[in-house]
Amino acid sequence: MREAEFAKYLAADPNITSKDKAVRSRIAKARKIEQHFNIDLDTIVADDNKMFDILCHIKREQNDRNGTISNALRKYYQFANGREFPKLSDYRK
């Protein structure tokens, strides 16, 4: 993960109101994803099928009821690719 660049990207996001706390929280969750799956976030977001699979695993394995872990990965995807990843229900259509 390109942590410093990602932190700057998040800090500049006008939709994030609590900058310091929200940025630290998303980076901590992004690290958690890397550790859990033993894979770099850049590898995940470079492949849409891998992204879809990891999001499905997060939903099942990491008890991500409120979506905060998935949100961190989706924000990283947007940072790396310049676009949002589609909803899971829309991806395989």
Side-chain angles (χ1 to χ4, degrees), residues 6-41:
F6 185 43
K8 287 179 186 176
Y9 172 81
L10 292 171
D13 188 332
N15 296 319
I16 298 175
T17 53
S18 173
K19 297 293 183 192
D20 189 48
K21 183 179 178 185
V23 169
R24 283 185 287 126
S25 176
R26 282 183 176 87
I27 288 176
K29 286 173 178 51
R31 281 191 213 116
K32 182 177 179 178
I33 294 166
E34 286 185 324
Q35 292 169 352
H36 181 82
F37 294 101
N38 195 31
I39 190 168
D40 186 77
L41 254 57

Side-chain angles (χ1 to χ4, degrees), residues 51-68:
M51 178 75 177
F52 176 81
D53 291 341
I54 296 288
L55 285 170
C56 289
H57 282 288
I58 288 170
K59 192 173 183 179
R60 282 193 312 266
E61 296 172 10
Q62 294 190 324
N63 199 22
D64 191 29
R65 287 196 176 107
N66 60 3
T68 58

Side-chain angles (χ1 to χ4, degrees), residues 1-2 33-34 37-52 54 73 76-77 80-81:
M1 167 179 32
R2 296 172 283 157
I33 294 166
E34 286 185 324
F37 294 101
N38 195 31
I39 190 168
D40 186 77
L41 254 57
D42 287 299
T43 302
I44 297 169
V45 301
D47 180 333
D48 283 357
N49 288 324
K50 191 175 299 255
M51 178 75 177
F52 176 81
I54 296 288
L73 181 56
Y76 196 84
Y77 181 92
N81 295 306

